[in-house]
Amino acid sequence: MRFGQARARSGISIGAALTDFAALTDVLGWSAPPLDLMTSVAEGWVDGGRSRDDCQDPLTGLATTAYLRTRLGEVYRGSGPEAHPSATHVLIVVALASGLDPWRRTARLIVLGHELRQYFTQGESIALLSRGRITVLTRVSPDLEERMRRLRDELCLGHEADVWSVALPDDLDHALSFLDEVGKPPMSG
């Protein structure tokens, strides 16, 4: 992990860091870099690339869960009885298939993050919940069902991802608990 962190802090790209690590394992005489060590290097690179002043995941460019939690707090505080968040906003969850190998999962997260930012352009908050789940905080709109259908058919289907929407709970504590729960990786069976 420290190798990846050091490479990120040096301004080295993730690809170059992984190439450097592969060269190191070659010098050590290993036939191939072990997957668990490669994963550790990649995770270290992500961690090392984080700025204390930034609320974006450095690998995908998406907002962090911490940002989304803050944003939800703003939505709940800014609501009144006539416009409660449970009636005005929904969370859209995009979940990658659980059986993807770590490299395909990472590549798809990067691509989905980019494509979702092109798809949601009206001030929605798009955040990475985990290495397999992305969520979008968006306003309820008359065309929401059609947008969800298009999202499912045009974007998620090609990336082996499921998508669904969830109305916001009645209070902020339940909304934050929901984020914690939906961000957990699915149990493998």
Side-chain angles (χ1 to χ4, degrees), residues 61-72:
L62 296 173
T64 61
T65 302
Y67 171 82
L68 184 60
R69 293 172 72 85
T70 299
R71 182 69 188 108
L72 278 169

Side-chain angles (χ1 to χ4, degrees), residues 111-175:
V111 171
L112 274 171
H114 174 76
E115 291 179 357
L116 285 170
R117 285 191 302 273
Q118 306 306 311
Y119 190 86
F120 291 102
T121 60
Q122 304 298 312
E124 300 91 346
S125 297
I126 306 168
L128 183 67
L129 289 183
S130 67
R131 290 290 168 212
R133 301 233 167 139
I134 299 170
T135 192
V136 180
L137 174 63
T138 187
R139 289 191 165 277
V140 172
S141 64
D143 67 339
L144 184 61
E145 280 188 42
E146 174 60 19
R147 290 179 77 198
M148 289 290 295
R149 185 198 61 73
R150 284 186 38 236
L151 182 60
R152 184 175 295 107
D153 294 348
E154 296 173 9
L155 185 60
C156 292
L157 192 62
H159 293 290
E160 296 183 58
D162 289 327
V163 62
W164 65 91
S165 64
V166 179
L168 288 180
D170 288 334
D171 62 70
L172 178 60
D173 289 339
H174 284 101

Side-chain angles (χ1 to χ4, degrees), residues 15-185:
L18 292 173
T19 299
D20 291 349
F21 185 71
L24 172 65
T25 61
D26 190 40
V27 168
L28 294 173
W30 297 350
S31 60
L35 180 59
D36 58 337
L37 290 180
M38 291 290 283
T39 301
S40 182
V41 169
E43 289 173 350
W45 184 89
V46 169
D47 186 54
R50 290 177 203 233
S51 166
R52 303 266 187 246
D53 299 329
D54 197 359
C55 55
Q56 286 185 318
D57 174 72
L59 192 59
T60 63
L62 296 173
T64 61
T65 302
Y67 171 82
L68 184 60
R69 293 172 72 85
T70 299
R71 182 69 188 108
L72 278 169
E74 293 169 346
V75 168
Y76 276 87
R77 278 191 310 280
S79 70
E82 68 287 342
H84 193 270
S86 61
T88 61
H89 288 77
V90 297
L91 286 171
I92 296 172
V93 180
V94 177
L96 290 172
S98 60
L100 293 173
D101 71 66
W103 302 113
R104 281 196 172 93
R105 176 179 304 280
T106 300
R108 288 186 183 171
L109 276 175
I110 293 167
V111 171
L112 274 171
H114 174 76
E115 291 179 357
L116 285 170
R117 285 191 302 273
Q118 306 306 311
Y119 190 86
F120 291 102
T121 60
Q122 304 298 312
E124 300 91 346
S125 297
I126 306 168
L128 183 67
L129 289 183
S130 67
R131 290 290 168 212
R133 301 233 167 139
I134 299 170
T135 192
V136 180
L137 174 63
T138 187
R139 289 191 165 277
V140 172
S141 64
D143 67 339
L144 184 61
E145 280 188 42
E146 174 60 19
R147 290 179 77 198
M148 289 290 295
R149 185 198 61 73
R150 284 186 38 236
L151 182 60
R152 184 175 295 107
D153 294 348
E154 296 173 9
L155 185 60
C156 292
L157 192 62
H159 293 290
E160 296 183 58
D162 289 327
V163 62
W164 65 91
S165 64
V166 179
L168 288 180
D170 288 334
D171 62 70
L172 178 60
D173 289 339
H174 284 101
L176 298 178
S177 294
F178 173 77
L179 285 185
D180 292 340
E181 198 57 38
V182 80
K184 291 179 184 175

